[in-house]
């Protein structure tokens, strides 16, 4: 069974750093791109960026370029999303998601989401 | 960046009725790379349609998608109680993805 299991909810203060994770199982981790998607409270879905776990090639939405870093460790089938200095506006649910070439690069599996709360 | 505009913002319907959701792209989008997702409160989104008109695995045939130029449509032929949710379109192009802002299908 394909699963993307994300790390648990986080509560952080502005200016702190954070890394959340997404562990893939039930499939060949290096065969599928992973994206991160933000959903702010009560709002829609925003694509942040994606990584190819094979070589860690990444590309980002212009809206998120320079604000977050996406990485992966293929030896443990895990992708990461990290911030060096959080802001209150980073408060959101973050989903990792797998793109499938067999469904025209749409997202066929999603993680359960990681809620990040940034508050002083 | 391609912008996807969904309409209406909210659709108020009753079970058994037909739902027609629209997604318009700001520029040409390959039909091959247009998808629709359903999201229920407290849940991750679920893939419904990919390639503009292909149903994902396990999706009932009351869901269908179509395309005409830069206009894409998701149709739910007869609404079931479990279909009341938010629906998003998404496109892929030039190594990036964008989502529409969503259409909420609510009980009338």
């Amino acid at each position: 069974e394909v699963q993307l299991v994300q790390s648990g909810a986080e509560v952080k203060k502005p200016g702190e750093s954070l890394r959340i994770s997404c562990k893939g199982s039930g499939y060949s981790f290096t065969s599928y791109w992973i994206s991160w998607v933000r959903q702010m409270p009560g709002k829609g879905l925003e694509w942040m960026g994606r990584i190819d776990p094979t070589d860690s090639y990444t590309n980002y939405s212009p809206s998120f370029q320079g604000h977050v870093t996406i990485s992966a460790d293929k030896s443990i089938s895990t992708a990461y999303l990290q911030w060096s200095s959080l802001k209150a506006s980073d408060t959101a649910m973050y989903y990792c998601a797998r793109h499938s070439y067999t469904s025209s690069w749409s997202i066929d599996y999603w993680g359960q989401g990681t809620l990040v709360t940034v508050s002083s | 960046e391609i912008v996807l505009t969904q309409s209406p913002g909210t659709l108020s319907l009753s079970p058994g009725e037909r739902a027609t959701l629209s997604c318009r792209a700001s520029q040409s989008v390959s039909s091959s790379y247009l998808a629709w997702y359903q999201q229920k409160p407290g849940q991750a989104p679920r893939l419904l349609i990919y390639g503009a008109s292909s149903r994902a695995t396990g999706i009932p045939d009351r869901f269908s998608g179509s395309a005409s130029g830069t206009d894409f449509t998701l149709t739910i032929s007869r609404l079931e109680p479990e279909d009341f949710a938010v629906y998003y379109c998404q496109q892929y192009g030039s190594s990036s993805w964008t989502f529409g802002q969503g259409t909420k299908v609510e009980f009338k």
Side-chain angles (χ1 to χ4, degrees), chain B residues 40-82:
Chain B
K40 297 179 181 179
Q43 296 184 16
R46 175 175 72 144
L47 177 65
L48 297 176
I49 301 286
Y50 64 92
S53 60
S54 298
R55 275 187 299 277
T57 303
I59 301 304
D61 60 8
R62 64 180 180 272
F63 291 92
S64 63
S66 63
S68 177
T70 57
D71 292 331
F72 300 87
T73 302
L74 174 69
T75 301
I76 310 171
S77 59
R78 287 178 58 85
L79 281 165
E80 297 288 340
E82 62 268 27

Side-chain angles (χ1 to χ4, degrees), chain A residues 9-106:
Chain A
E10 301 274 0
V11 180
K12 292 289 190 178
K13 289 180 167 49
E16 291 186 330
S17 63
L18 175 65
R19 188 177 78 168
I20 62 176
S21 66
C22 168
K23 183 173 176 61
S25 63
Y27 73 99
S28 172
F29 186 69
T30 54
S31 295
Y32 297 81
W33 299 342
I34 294 285
S35 275
W36 288 92
V37 175
R38 183 175 79 173
Q39 188 166 39
M40 299 178 77
K43 302 299 183 182
L45 305 172
E46 300 174 90
W47 178 75
M48 301 175 71
R50 68 97 181 177
I51 188 165
D52 181 343
T54 300
D55 57 7
S56 288
Y57 175 82
T58 55
N59 63 291
Y60 297 87
S61 162
S63 300
F64 293 94
Q65 179 84 47
H67 297 289
V68 297
T69 302
I70 296 171
S71 61
D73 184 341
K74 61 184 178 182
S75 70
I76 56 172
S77 301
T78 300
Y80 302 96
L81 177 66
Q82 66 181 60
W83 296 260
S84 59
S85 181
L86 287 159
K87 304 175 183 178
S89 57
D90 292 318
T91 294
M93 181 71 81
Y94 293 88
Y95 293 100
C96 66
R98 187 187 88 160
H99 292 278
S100 173
Y101 50 85
T102 58
S103 58
S104 303
W105 303 110
S106 61

